[in-house]
Amino acid sequence: MHIVFLLTLNDSDSYTGAPYFASISSLKMGADLCHVFCEKNAGLVIKSYSPELMVHPYLRNSDSIGIDLKNQDRVEAEINKIVERVTSMFPRLHVLVVGPGLSRDEIMIETTKRVIVKAKENGMPLVIDADGLYLVQKNPDIIRGYPLAVLTPNANEFTRLCESVNVPCGKEYRDDVALKLSQAFGNVTILQKGSRDIISNGKEVLICDAEGSPRRCGGQGDLLSGACATFLAWGKNYEAKAWEYVIDYVPYLYVYKFDHFTGTRQIQILTTTFKSAFLCSQHGLLPY
């Protein structure tokens, strides 16, 4: 049986919902296994949400690292140890999700930067959202020119990313600014969330205006991140010929390069799901 793995990074017990939503969305979309790498105080909380998640409390933040932050040599050694522990599992994983629940803690950010570098060295697709986008905003070169990176900003995050690479982002440029932002980052995929979702790989722009839920509540972006990860994992394994396939289904599976079909398909799935959930319960994110 083919196995799909998702990895997401989380900071502390204050931010446990986001990695849960991303992970459970990936599982509901069709991933077989999901790994959540989190800060030690978050592990038990996240695990209690679902027995389906594989939770690894390997990460540390400034409060839990247990070292005087002024002792740079010891801090550096501890961060390297954490990175080695996380990345030692990369041969078993297919996609890395960065951002849901990450926080902006300096130890977490530095650890995550190094994990991203290792993921790129392994040719691993990246889905970057939330505080992962803050990391990219402050360090644009970390994903510049890496075509397997997918950035999923909301309106405010999109504006800040544009400012970080000097791309004009006035309202009059709204429909094509995603293309320019993608080009500025070396043709990463931009999936700009909004009332109209705009997707660009730096070569073309597609817009999804499918009606979604009338509610805009926390967690919807995390669900999209998890769905993106599953699609990318399918595509990576399709390209690696990990399974036999029916030729008629190839356009639905060949998503490793995250083409325009993939982006619009994911948005349509999620918006339709959110709308259905709202019609059923008037408040839910997902139908149960």
Side-chain angles (χ1 to χ4, degrees), residues 217-230:
C217 46
Q220 289 177 328
D222 305 313
L223 294 169
L224 177 63
S225 297
C228 287
T230 298

Side-chain angles (χ1 to χ4, degrees), residues 2 4 94-95 123 125 148 227-243 245 249-259 262 266:
H2 172 63
V4 174
H94 295 121
V95 181
L148 299 183
C228 287
T230 298
F231 271 74
L232 288 168
W234 284 339
K236 181 175 182 179
N237 284 282
Y238 165 75
E239 190 168 78
K241 302 185 184 303
W243 57 57
Y245 55 86
Y249 293 163
V250 169
Y252 293 86
L253 296 174
Y254 192 69
V255 295
Y256 187 33
K257 298 295 189 289
F258 206 86
D259 61 13
T262 308
Q266 288 172 357

Side-chain angles (χ1 to χ4, degrees), residues 4-201:
V4 174
F5 293 88
L6 164 75
L7 180 151
T8 184
L9 296 172
N10 165 260
D11 177 15
S12 71
D13 56 3
S14 298
Y15 301 96
T16 56
Y20 166 74
F21 279 132
S23 301
I24 206 69
S25 173
S26 180
L27 286 173
K28 285 177 179 288
M29 191 61 66
D32 292 313
L33 293 174
C34 287
H35 293 255
V36 179
F37 287 76
C38 62
E39 194 270 341
K40 67 175 183 179
N41 294 317
L44 185 60
V45 180
I46 297 173
K47 188 64 177 176
S48 70
Y49 293 152
S50 172
E52 296 177 274
L53 304 180
M54 295 178 155
V55 182
H56 310 278
Y58 296 166
L59 307 182
R60 299 293 181 268
N61 59 24
S62 297
D63 293 328
S64 62
I65 195 169
I67 297 172
D68 184 351
L69 298 184
K70 295 179 181 179
N71 190 334
Q72 290 298 313
D73 289 341
R74 288 193 63 197
V75 170
E76 182 78 10
E78 185 64 21
I79 290 175
N80 286 336
K81 178 180 175 181
I82 294 168
V83 171
E84 175 61 29
R85 196 173 186 188
V86 172
T87 59
S88 67
M89 292 192 66
F90 275 9
R92 300 169 56 192
L93 306 175
H94 295 121
V95 181
L96 175 66
V97 177
V98 177
L102 179 61
S103 88
R104 300 182 182 183
D105 177 85
E106 61 178 315
I107 299 298
M108 285 295 300
I109 290 292
E110 183 59 34
T111 302
T112 304
K113 284 165 58 178
R114 300 184 192 190
V115 170
I116 289 174
V117 170
K118 293 289 187 180
K120 289 167 57 182
E121 291 174 357
N122 283 269
M124 184 178 292
L126 301 168
V127 181
I128 303 179
D129 188 34
D131 284 327
L133 296 173
Y134 169 80
L135 186 158
V136 171
Q137 172 196 336
K138 296 297 183 181
N139 306 272
D141 288 339
I142 198 164
I143 55 92
R144 197 190 303 273
Y146 190 64
L148 299 183
V150 180
L151 310 187
T152 61
N154 60 27
N156 291 331
E157 293 162 342
F158 185 82
T159 297
R160 290 193 289 266
L161 285 172
C162 288
E163 292 171 349
S164 73
V165 289
N166 300 313
V167 171
C169 57
K171 291 183 179 179
E172 64 273 20
Y173 302 115
R174 183 170 177 81
D175 286 358
D176 68 347
V177 69
L179 178 129
K180 296 176 181 177
L181 182 61
S182 173
Q183 292 171 344
F185 275 110
N187 292 90
V188 304
T189 294
I190 302 294
L191 201 167
Q192 181 185 359
K193 299 175 291 192
S195 57
R196 297 161 68 248
D197 301 298
I198 303 172
I199 305 125
S200 180
N201 59 2

